[in-house]
Amino acid sequence: MPGPYDAIIVGGGHNGLVCAAYLARAGRRILVLEARELVGGCAVTEEIWPGYHVSTASYLSSLLQERVVRDLELERFGYHVDAKDPAFFSPFPDGRHLFMWQDRARTLAEIAKVKVFTQSAADFLDTWFESEELKVTLATDGVIGANGGPRSPGTAYILLHHCMGGVGGVRGLWGFVRGGMGAVSEAMAASARSRGAEIRVKAPVEKIVVRDGHASGVVLKMSGEQIDARIVVSNLDPKKTFLELIGEADLPETFLDGIRKFRIEGTSLKMNLALSGLPEFRALPSSGPQEKAPQYKATMHICPSIEYIERAWDDAKYGRPSRSPLIEMTIPTMYDPSLAPVGRHIMGIFLQYAPYTLKNRNWDAEREPYTERVLDVMEEYCPNIRSIIVERQTLTPLDLERRFGITGGNIFHGEMSLDQMFVMRPLAGWARYRTPIPGLYLCGSGAHPGGGVMGAPGHNAAREILKDR
């Protein structure tokens, strides 16, 4: 017989917390089980060095649904976002630079200085713009979301999805969360708890129990405790859910074959730096107090041309980390100085491409040499960067997998390519959060609409569960 819980959520990442909060809000008795010592999945704040509170993985609030913020009363529970402005800053090797602002008029003035969805980002931009500098500033956001090169199909969709939120003053889309990304997850957890949801940390799940063809609970890894529930909702990625937590005999072979073929190896690497000061860009030397310079409040891109992106992608295609990678830098302490000791800063670096599987090499051996290579590239644009680094952390795709439990180190729970999006996510016929096992649902980024700290998969899964029950 089912136990006291109406639903068990496996995984306390942000989508799992959103799903839990909505179900608890509807009067269901909910238990969330999180393997780590804190909730949030990749949306966490961790004090990895004394006094430095770092968003170790996810680093921006990107397209978090307004209805989620409103329905779950996240602001009441401490959620606050400062919209990043400028949106982007791109320095170029010849000394020029380009800003994109929240204000459209300022952005158009910047564009004047230089001058479908299934298309690639590069082809789409070639149609509309002549300026190489403008095209690469925009294309960078397209490829960062897609695990592909600038001419990969679907990157134009990702580009528009990102840029419509990143430029133009739309409230609450792209910004820095006060307290770091963990504050998002903690607000969601507090909202869920306020409605009666129970959340347990350090509670990794060994398997999902299927009884008489119906998901009916879980078994915990450490204690062997079995916990019963009327349904189980997995916030884990599709491969981990169906290939590790479910017995093969409980799933159709055609479904299993599709999950095995689901592409999930990541190509992203995250670096976190503790800084004693701010980087000086050759393309825009500070003319006054650094703290007032606008470039440090933007997402700062090192990516000078479309050809540069293509060369970076070519390296990754052959199992090599990009020798000259796309580098996206943010300094959250420009918005929230409390994240670091007085006078110090945190820099987050998100880069492409660092393939999960390396040819004839492994990430444990390559981590430090590649970190040095990344700093070499940054030094070409910011000559003082090495002199201001106090501490550093590099999370390769292998490290992201180990630390956060995401297969292949893929931050989106699977490639965001056209054949794995919309009605195809995770598989054709299974894009509505239900699975071949009655009573088992998906609520994570491996379900539609995919990755990013938006809360939509969690919201949508809760909606479908409540329709069924």
Side-chain angles (χ1 to χ4, degrees):
M1 293 294 292
Y5 297 105
D6 292 306
I8 291 174
I9 313 288
V10 180
H14 86 277
N15 277 307
L17 296 171
V18 167
C19 185
Y22 272 104
L23 293 178
R25 184 171 174 254
R28 307 303 192 266
R29 189 172 185 197
I30 306 301
L31 172 64
V32 179
L33 298 171
E34 167 55 40
R36 297 191 73 207
E37 69 278 7
L38 74 172
V39 296
C42 289
V44 291
T45 305
E46 301 180 83
E47 189 176 8
I48 56 176
W49 309 296
Y52 291 89
H53 301 274
V54 180
S55 297
T56 41
S58 176
Y59 55 102
L60 287 173
S61 179
S62 55
L63 303 176
L64 180 60
Q65 304 284 292
E66 278 291 319
R67 62 188 172 191
V68 171
V69 175
R70 181 180 61 252
D71 291 348
L72 303 187
E73 302 179 279
L74 296 186
E75 291 177 348
R76 181 163 76 90
F77 295 104
Y79 172 75
H80 184 92
V81 175
D82 293 304
K84 66 185 177 86
D85 196 24
F88 306 118
F89 168 72
S90 291
F92 298 99
D94 62 4
R96 290 182 295 167
H97 65 270
L98 179 68
F99 280 105
M100 300 194 80
W101 301 85
Q102 292 287 346
D103 182 86
R104 285 188 171 89
R106 295 185 75 179
T107 296
L108 291 173
E110 285 285 317
I111 292 172
K113 295 193 312 186
V114 292
K115 213 114 169 107
V116 165
F117 286 176
T118 58
Q119 286 181 290
S120 70
D123 291 342
F124 175 81
L125 293 167
D126 284 344
T127 302
W128 291 96
F129 303 108
E130 294 180 0
S131 163
E132 185 74 5
E133 293 82 2
L134 176 59
K135 286 191 290 186
V136 75
T137 297
L138 294 171
T140 302
D141 256 33
V143 298
I144 277 176
N147 272 29
R151 300 196 182 276
S152 299
T155 48
Y157 169 80
I158 303 294
L159 163 68
L160 294 178
H161 177 71
H162 282 198
C163 290
M164 285 191 295
V167 180
V170 183
R171 180 183 180 269
L173 294 184
W174 285 85
F176 292 92
V177 182
R178 292 188 192 174
M181 291 303 294
V184 181
S185 302
E186 290 297 337
M188 292 171 174
S191 177
R193 288 189 181 105
S194 76
R195 299 286 183 169
E198 180 183 343
I199 300 173
R200 290 168 61 176
V201 297
K202 298 182 181 179
V205 170
E206 177 74 28
K207 70 175 182 178
I208 294 171
V209 176
V210 179
R211 186 182 296 122
D212 298 325
H214 190 284
S216 60
V218 302
V219 174
L220 298 188
K221 185 174 290 185
M222 306 301 292
S223 64
E225 177 188 1
Q226 180 167 322
I227 308 173
D228 292 339
R230 291 180 174 83
I231 66 168
V232 177
V233 187
S234 178
N235 187 41
L236 309 184
D237 66 71
K239 282 189 184 284
K240 190 165 285 290
T241 299
F242 298 112
L243 302 183
E244 295 185 25
L245 300 187
I246 299 286
E248 290 190 2
D250 293 313
L251 290 164
E253 183 56 38
T254 53
F255 181 86
L256 280 170
D257 185 59
I259 293 296
R260 292 186 190 108
K261 293 175 179 175
F262 184 74
R263 297 188 307 280
I264 201 169
E265 289 198 1
T267 59
S268 304
L269 180 148
K270 179 75 189 297
M271 289 174 60
N272 296 301
L273 305 179
L275 304 178
S276 61
L278 291 167
E280 280 284 357
F281 286 95
R282 294 184 194 274
L284 189 59
S286 299
S287 57
Q290 276 189 312
E291 301 288 342
K292 296 185 180 297
Q295 59 267 33
Y296 303 120
K297 302 188 81 171
T299 297
M300 300 162 282
H301 292 155
I302 292 179
C303 183
S305 68
I306 294 291
E307 183 184 359
Y308 181 99
I309 303 177
E310 291 177 330
R311 287 199 304 269
W313 177 239
D314 283 342
D315 284 341
K317 284 191 300 186
Y318 297 102
R320 302 186 298 266
S322 303
R323 178 163 177 78
S324 296
L326 294 71
I327 297 174
E328 180 171 286
M329 301 166 285
T330 54
I331 304 179
T333 41
M334 292 299 295
Y335 291 87
D336 184 357
S338 71
L339 295 172
V342 176
R344 300 295 181 97
H345 287 282
I346 292 168
M347 175 181 279
I349 300 167
F350 181 83
L351 68 80
Q352 304 267 63
Y353 301 94
Y356 175 81
T357 300
L358 299 179
K359 184 177 181 180
N360 301 324
R361 289 181 271 185
N362 68 79
W363 273 116
D364 286 326
E366 289 296 315
R367 185 183 300 103
E368 288 307 309
Y370 191 62
T371 298
E372 290 298 323
R373 174 58 195 163
V374 173
L375 294 176
D376 287 343
V377 174
M378 293 176 64
E379 207 166 33
E380 295 173 17
Y381 294 81
C382 312
N384 73 326
I385 188 64
R386 274 191 165 90
S387 67
I388 60 174
I389 295 174
V390 178
E391 301 281 0
R392 72 189 196 190
Q393 176 193 53
T394 298
L395 297 175
T396 70
L398 180 61
D399 297 315
L400 293 170
E401 179 181 66
R402 290 169 173 168
R403 189 180 188 101
F404 299 106
I406 47 178
T407 303
N410 192 302
I411 58 174
F412 298 123
H413 286 198
E415 285 187 16
M416 295 279 284
S417 50
L418 279 180
D419 62 339
Q420 293 191 172
M421 291 173 64
F422 306 112
V423 297
M424 306 290 284
R425 193 168 188 87
L427 297 177
W430 299 104
R432 294 187 179 274
Y433 314 97
R434 300 169 184 87
T435 75
I437 299 175
L440 177 62
Y441 297 80
L442 283 183
C443 72
S445 295
H448 176 73
V453 183
M454 67 176 89
H459 167 277
N460 295 352
R463 179 194 64 207
E464 297 304 306
I465 291 166
L466 292 173
K467 283 182 184 177
D468 291 349
R469 299 176 184 278

Short mmCIF file of all heavy atoms in Angstrom, two decimals, residues 235-269:
data_model
loop_
_atom_site.label_atom_id
_atom_site.label_comp_id
_atom_site.label_asym_id
_atom_site.label_seq_id
_atom_site.Cartn_x
_atom_site.Cartn_y
_atom_site.Cartn_z
N ASN A 235 13.78 14.48 -10.75
CA ASN A 235 14.42 15.72 -11.21
C ASN A 235 15.83 15.43 -11.74
O ASN A 235 16.57 16.34 -12.06
CB ASN A 235 14.49 16.72 -10.05
CG ASN A 235 14.98 18.08 -10.47
OD1 ASN A 235 14.62 18.58 -11.52
ND2 ASN A 235 15.84 18.68 -9.66
N LEU A 236 16.18 14.15 -11.85
CA LEU A 236 17.48 13.78 -12.39
C LEU A 236 17.41 13.73 -13.91
O LEU A 236 16.33 13.75 -14.50
CB LEU A 236 17.90 12.42 -11.83
CG LEU A 236 17.84 12.26 -10.30
CD1 LEU A 236 18.38 10.91 -9.88
CD2 LEU A 236 18.59 13.38 -9.60
N ASP A 237 18.58 13.65 -14.56
CA ASP A 237 18.58 13.62 -16.01
C ASP A 237 18.02 12.29 -16.52
O ASP A 237 17.96 11.30 -15.78
CB ASP A 237 19.99 13.88 -16.56
CG ASP A 237 20.98 12.79 -16.22
OD1 ASP A 237 20.87 11.68 -16.79
OD2 ASP A 237 21.89 13.03 -15.41
N PRO A 238 17.60 12.22 -17.78
CA PRO A 238 16.95 11.01 -18.29
C PRO A 238 17.81 9.75 -18.19
O PRO A 238 17.30 8.67 -17.85
CB PRO A 238 16.64 11.36 -19.75
CG PRO A 238 16.47 12.85 -19.75
CD PRO A 238 17.50 13.33 -18.76
N LYS A 239 19.10 9.85 -18.49
CA LYS A 239 19.94 8.65 -18.41
C LYS A 239 20.05 8.14 -16.98
O LYS A 239 19.96 6.94 -16.71
CB LYS A 239 21.32 8.93 -19.00
CG LYS A 239 21.36 8.92 -20.52
CD LYS A 239 22.76 8.99 -21.04
CE LYS A 239 22.83 9.07 -22.55
NZ LYS A 239 22.57 7.77 -23.20
N LYS A 240 20.28 9.05 -16.05
CA LYS A 240 20.41 8.63 -14.65
C LYS A 240 19.09 8.04 -14.15
O LYS A 240 19.07 7.03 -13.43
CB LYS A 240 20.84 9.81 -13.77
CG LYS A 240 21.23 9.41 -12.36
CD LYS A 240 21.97 10.52 -11.66
CE LYS A 240 23.39 10.68 -12.14
NZ LYS A 240 24.27 9.56 -11.74
N THR A 241 17.98 8.65 -14.54
CA THR A 241 16.67 8.17 -14.10
C THR A 241 16.38 6.77 -14.62
O THR A 241 16.06 5.86 -13.85
CB THR A 241 15.57 9.14 -14.57
OG1 THR A 241 15.79 10.43 -14.00
CG2 THR A 241 14.19 8.63 -14.15
N PHE A 242 16.50 6.59 -15.94
CA PHE A 242 16.02 5.35 -16.55
C PHE A 242 17.07 4.25 -16.66
O PHE A 242 16.71 3.07 -16.73
CB PHE A 242 15.45 5.66 -17.93
CG PHE A 242 14.27 6.59 -17.89
CD1 PHE A 242 14.36 7.87 -18.41
CD2 PHE A 242 13.07 6.19 -17.31
CE1 PHE A 242 13.28 8.73 -18.37
CE2 PHE A 242 11.99 7.05 -17.26
CZ PHE A 242 12.09 8.33 -17.78
N LEU A 243 18.35 4.62 -16.66
CA LEU A 243 19.38 3.60 -16.81
C LEU A 243 20.05 3.22 -15.49
O LEU A 243 20.74 2.20 -15.43
CB LEU A 243 20.45 4.08 -17.80
CG LEU A 243 19.95 4.44 -19.21
CD1 LEU A 243 21.12 4.82 -20.10
CD2 LEU A 243 19.15 3.29 -19.82
N GLU A 244 19.85 4.03 -14.44
CA GLU A 244 20.47 3.73 -13.15
C GLU A 244 19.47 3.42 -12.04
O GLU A 244 19.74 2.59 -11.18
CB GLU A 244 21.38 4.89 -12.72
CG GLU A 244 22.58 5.11 -13.64
CD GLU A 244 23.52 6.18 -13.11
OE1 GLU A 244 23.53 6.41 -11.88
OE2 GLU A 244 24.23 6.79 -13.93
N LEU A 245 18.33 4.10 -12.05
CA LEU A 245 17.39 3.95 -10.93
C LEU A 245 16.23 3.00 -11.21
O LEU A 245 15.49 2.65 -10.30
CB LEU A 245 16.84 5.32 -10.51
CG LEU A 245 17.85 6.36 -10.04
CD1 LEU A 245 17.13 7.59 -9.50
CD2 LEU A 245 18.79 5.80 -8.99
N ILE A 246 16.06 2.61 -12.48
CA ILE A 246 14.94 1.74 -12.87
C ILE A 246 15.51 0.45 -13.46
O ILE A 246 16.46 0.48 -14.24
CB ILE A 246 14.07 2.44 -13.94
CG1 ILE A 246 13.47 3.73 -13.39
CG2 ILE A 246 12.97 1.51 -14.45
CD1 ILE A 246 12.36 3.54 -12.41
N GLY A 247 14.91 -0.66 -13.13
CA GLY A 247 15.31 -1.93 -13.74
C GLY A 247 14.90 -1.98 -15.20
O GLY A 247 13.81 -1.53 -15.57
N GLU A 248 15.78 -2.53 -16.04
CA GLU A 248 15.49 -2.59 -17.47
C GLU A 248 14.20 -3.35 -17.77
O GLU A 248 13.50 -3.05 -18.73
CB GLU A 248 16.66 -3.23 -18.22
CG GLU A 248 17.90 -2.36 -18.26
CD GLU A 248 18.96 -2.90 -19.19
OE1 GLU A 248 18.71 -3.96 -19.84
OE2 GLU A 248 20.05 -2.28 -19.30
N ALA A 249 13.87 -4.34 -16.95
CA ALA A 249 12.68 -5.14 -17.19
C ALA A 249 11.39 -4.32 -17.06
O ALA A 249 10.33 -4.74 -17.54
CB ALA A 249 12.64 -6.33 -16.21
N ASP A 250 11.49 -3.15 -16.41
CA ASP A 250 10.30 -2.32 -16.19
C ASP A 250 10.04 -1.32 -17.32
O ASP A 250 9.07 -0.56 -17.25
CB ASP A 250 10.43 -1.57 -14.87
CG ASP A 250 10.41 -2.50 -13.67
OD1 ASP A 250 9.53 -3.38 -13.62
OD2 ASP A 250 11.30 -2.37 -12.80
N LEU A 251 10.90 -1.30 -18.32
CA LEU A 251 10.77 -0.32 -19.40
C LEU A 251 10.76 -1.01 -20.76
O LEU A 251 11.46 -2.02 -20.96
CB LEU A 251 11.93 0.68 -19.35
CG LEU A 251 11.93 1.66 -18.18
CD1 LEU A 251 13.29 2.33 -18.02
CD2 LEU A 251 10.85 2.73 -18.36
N PRO A 252 10.00 -0.46 -21.73
CA PRO A 252 10.01 -1.03 -23.09
C PRO A 252 11.40 -0.90 -23.71
O PRO A 252 12.08 0.11 -23.53
CB PRO A 252 8.99 -0.17 -23.84
CG PRO A 252 8.19 0.52 -22.79
CD PRO A 252 9.08 0.68 -21.61
N GLU A 253 11.79 -1.90 -24.48
CA GLU A 253 13.11 -1.89 -25.08
C GLU A 253 13.30 -0.71 -26.03
O GLU A 253 14.38 -0.12 -26.10
CB GLU A 253 13.37 -3.21 -25.82
CG GLU A 253 14.76 -3.32 -26.43
CD GLU A 253 15.89 -3.13 -25.42
OE1 GLU A 253 15.74 -3.60 -24.27
OE2 GLU A 253 16.91 -2.51 -25.78
N THR A 254 12.25 -0.34 -26.78
CA THR A 254 12.38 0.80 -27.70
C THR A 254 12.64 2.09 -26.95
O THR A 254 13.41 2.95 -27.40
CB THR A 254 11.11 0.96 -28.55
OG1 THR A 254 9.96 1.02 -27.68
CG2 THR A 254 10.94 -0.20 -29.52
N PHE A 255 12.01 2.24 -25.78
CA PHE A 255 12.24 3.42 -24.95
C PHE A 255 13.66 3.42 -24.42
O PHE A 255 14.36 4.43 -24.48
CB PHE A 255 11.23 3.45 -23.80
CG PHE A 255 11.36 4.64 -22.90
CD1 PHE A 255 10.73 5.83 -23.20
CD2 PHE A 255 12.13 4.58 -21.73
CE1 PHE A 255 10.85 6.95 -22.37
CE2 PHE A 255 12.25 5.68 -20.89
CZ PHE A 255 11.61 6.86 -21.22
N LEU A 256 14.11 2.28 -23.90
CA LEU A 256 15.47 2.18 -23.39
C LEU A 256 16.49 2.48 -24.47
O LEU A 256 17.49 3.16 -24.23
CB LEU A 256 15.71 0.77 -22.84
CG LEU A 256 15.16 0.48 -21.44
CD1 LEU A 256 15.25 -1.02 -21.14
CD2 LEU A 256 15.91 1.28 -20.39
N ASP A 257 16.25 2.00 -25.68
CA ASP A 257 17.17 2.25 -26.78
C ASP A 257 17.26 3.75 -27.07
O ASP A 257 18.34 4.29 -27.30
CB ASP A 257 16.70 1.50 -28.04
CG ASP A 257 17.69 1.63 -29.19
OD1 ASP A 257 18.86 1.24 -29.01
OD2 ASP A 257 17.29 2.13 -30.25
N GLY A 258 16.12 4.43 -27.02
CA GLY A 258 16.12 5.88 -27.24
C GLY A 258 16.87 6.62 -26.16
O GLY A 258 17.62 7.56 -26.44
N ILE A 259 16.71 6.20 -24.90
CA ILE A 259 17.42 6.84 -23.80
C ILE A 259 18.92 6.59 -23.92
O ILE A 259 19.75 7.49 -23.66
CB ILE A 259 16.89 6.35 -22.44
CG1 ILE A 259 15.44 6.82 -22.24
CG2 ILE A 259 17.77 6.83 -21.30
CD1 ILE A 259 15.25 8.32 -22.15
N ARG A 260 19.31 5.40 -24.30
CA ARG A 260 20.74 5.12 -24.48
C ARG A 260 21.35 6.03 -25.56
O ARG A 260 22.51 6.42 -25.46
CB ARG A 260 20.95 3.65 -24.87
CG ARG A 260 20.61 2.66 -23.75
CD ARG A 260 20.98 1.24 -24.16
NE ARG A 260 20.47 0.25 -23.21
CZ ARG A 260 19.45 -0.57 -23.47
NH1 ARG A 260 18.84 -0.54 -24.66
NH2 ARG A 260 19.04 -1.42 -22.54
N LYS A 261 20.57 6.35 -26.57
CA LYS A 261 21.06 7.18 -27.68
C LYS A 261 20.92 8.68 -27.41
O LYS A 261 21.43 9.50 -28.18
CB LYS A 261 20.31 6.83 -28.97
CG LYS A 261 20.62 5.43 -29.48
CD LYS A 261 19.77 5.08 -30.69
CE LYS A 261 20.09 3.68 -31.21
NZ LYS A 261 19.20 3.27 -32.31
N PHE A 262 20.23 9.03 -26.35
CA PHE A 262 20.03 10.44 -25.98
C PHE A 262 21.39 11.08 -25.74
O PHE A 262 22.19 10.61 -24.92
CB PHE A 262 19.17 10.51 -24.73
CG PHE A 262 18.78 11.89 -24.28
CD1 PHE A 262 17.83 12.63 -24.95
CD2 PHE A 262 19.37 12.45 -23.14
CE1 PHE A 262 17.46 13.89 -24.51
CE2 PHE A 262 19.00 13.71 -22.69
CZ PHE A 262 18.04 14.42 -23.38
N ARG A 263 21.69 12.16 -26.45
CA ARG A 263 23.02 12.77 -26.38
C ARG A 263 23.09 13.70 -25.17
O ARG A 263 22.30 14.63 -25.04
CB ARG A 263 23.33 13.54 -27.67
CG ARG A 263 23.39 12.63 -28.90
CD ARG A 263 23.89 13.37 -30.14
NE ARG A 263 23.11 14.57 -30.38
CZ ARG A 263 21.90 14.57 -30.97
NH1 ARG A 263 21.35 13.43 -31.37
NH2 ARG A 263 21.24 15.69 -31.16
N ILE A 264 24.09 13.44 -24.33
CA ILE A 264 24.12 14.15 -23.04
C ILE A 264 25.52 14.57 -22.62
O ILE A 264 25.69 15.20 -21.58
CB ILE A 264 23.46 13.26 -21.96
CG1 ILE A 264 22.99 14.10 -20.76
CG2 ILE A 264 24.40 12.13 -21.53
CD1 ILE A 264 22.11 13.36 -19.78
N GLU A 265 26.55 14.27 -23.42
CA GLU A 265 27.89 14.67 -23.01
C GLU A 265 28.07 16.18 -23.15
O GLU A 265 27.83 16.75 -24.20
CB GLU A 265 28.96 13.94 -23.82
CG GLU A 265 29.04 12.46 -23.47
CD GLU A 265 30.33 11.82 -23.94
OE1 GLU A 265 31.19 12.52 -24.52
OE2 GLU A 265 30.49 10.60 -23.71
N GLY A 266 28.51 16.82 -22.05
CA GLY A 266 28.65 18.27 -22.03
C GLY A 266 29.94 18.73 -22.67
O GLY A 266 30.90 17.96 -22.84
N THR A 267 29.96 20.00 -23.01
CA THR A 267 31.17 20.63 -23.58
C THR A 267 31.51 21.92 -22.85
O THR A 267 32.23 22.76 -23.38
CB THR A 267 30.98 20.92 -25.08
OG1 THR A 267 29.86 21.79 -25.25
CG2 THR A 267 30.78 19.65 -25.88
N SER A 268 30.98 22.09 -21.65
CA SER A 268 31.17 23.33 -20.91
C SER A 268 32.09 23.11 -19.72
O SER A 268 32.07 22.05 -19.10
CB SER A 268 29.83 23.87 -20.41
OG SER A 268 28.92 24.04 -21.47
N LEU A 269 32.86 24.13 -19.40
CA LEU A 269 33.76 24.11 -18.24
C LEU A 269 33.51 25.37 -17.44
O LEU A 269 33.29 26.44 -18.01
CB LEU A 269 35.21 24.01 -18.72
CG LEU A 269 36.32 23.98 -17.67
CD1 LEU A 269 37.49 23.12 -18.19
CD2 LEU A 269 36.84 25.38 -17.35
#
